[in-house]
Amino acid sequence: MHQEPFRTAGQPLATATRALIMLHGRGASAADILSLATHLHVPGFALLAPQATQGTWYPHSFLAPPAQNEPGLSDALAAVGRAVAAAEGAGLAPENIYFLGFSQGACLTLEYVARHAARYGGVVAFTGGLIGDQVQAENYAGDFAGTPVFIGTSDPDFHVPVERVRASTALLGRLGAQVTEKIYPNLGHTISQAEIDLANQLIFAQPLA
């Protein structure tokens, strides 16, 4: 699963100063999430967007027991890992690698970085939380060392309960991330201009490491 080559945009990896790994939502595509970059302050970034098989990273809700989402979940995490390896192979240090996802892609984004906590450039999760029927702290390790993270969501959201967002924020904070959590009343399952503005301000305006 998820073996398609990831799509790229922005600066070629060979000359980029930073990389942004972008993860699409359920039923969407790499091209969809790449189109969001026109609203982001990412000059000089290589944009890498893996494509989920048939548009779905894993079959069930992110709140299902993880075993129910296998092997899709492990394959999805491996697809993110291949994008990270491509960026590192081009000479980019982790502190110049960024992550962004929406909905199912936001859940996958948070799950990947929490399992591989390090000093990244920054992380943006538009409507997502850590994956599983419970947040199992023993699954996560490492030190974000102050990595800026922005999580935005709606209250309510049909797919992502606010309680899971808050639990995810707390765990990322314990791993050393500098998390900004913003909960918007009745936003709906979408990405708002206010969220994009905050992502640009908090994540993408950071000076080059």
Side-chain angles (χ1 to χ4, degrees):
M1 294 177 66
H2 316 316
Q3 293 296 322
E4 298 93 339
F6 46 77
R7 294 189 58 155
T8 60
Q11 191 81 3
L13 260 179
T15 56
T17 55
R18 312 183 198 191
L20 172 60
I21 296 168
M22 307 181 75
L23 302 177
H24 66 77
R26 188 188 298 270
S29 69
D32 292 332
I33 197 71
L34 282 172
S35 70
L36 184 64
T38 60
H39 303 281
L40 304 174
H41 296 164
V42 289
F45 280 67
L47 308 176
L48 311 177
Q51 173 65 52
T53 300
Q54 297 181 338
T56 300
W57 293 112
Y58 44 84
H60 302 294
S61 165
F62 84 109
L63 298 171
Q68 294 182 12
N69 275 317
E70 295 294 358
L73 176 57
S74 290
D75 287 344
L77 291 165
V80 182
R82 288 192 293 273
V84 172
E88 292 179 336
L92 294 177
E95 56 264 32
N96 291 320
I97 299 174
Y98 295 68
F99 299 83
L100 177 150
F102 170 63
S103 190
Q104 193 184 51
C107 298
L108 182 59
T109 293
L110 294 177
E111 188 70 16
Y112 180 88
V113 298
R115 292 188 184 205
H116 305 86
R119 182 52 168 98
Y120 297 116
V123 179
V124 177
F126 293 126
T127 313
L130 292 167
I131 294 172
D133 51 329
Q134 301 178 55
V135 174
Q136 299 283 359
E138 61 270 20
N139 290 342
Y140 310 110
D143 184 358
F144 282 112
T147 295
V149 177
F150 172 66
I151 304 176
T153 195
S154 174
D155 183 16
D157 183 89
F158 181 74
H159 299 286
V160 182
V162 166
E163 293 77 10
R164 177 55 58 91
V165 173
R166 290 177 173 143
S168 302
T169 294
L171 185 135
L172 295 170
R174 289 196 294 272
L175 292 176
Q178 187 67 40
V179 186
T180 300
E181 173 193 280
K182 185 68 173 175
I183 298 170
Y184 299 85
N186 301 306
L187 175 65
H189 196 73
T190 187
I191 302 172
S192 69
Q193 186 62 52
E195 290 174 294
I196 290 171
D197 291 344
L198 270 177
N200 282 324
Q201 173 190 336
L202 298 170
I203 308 300
F204 300 118
Q206 300 299 314
L208 186 65

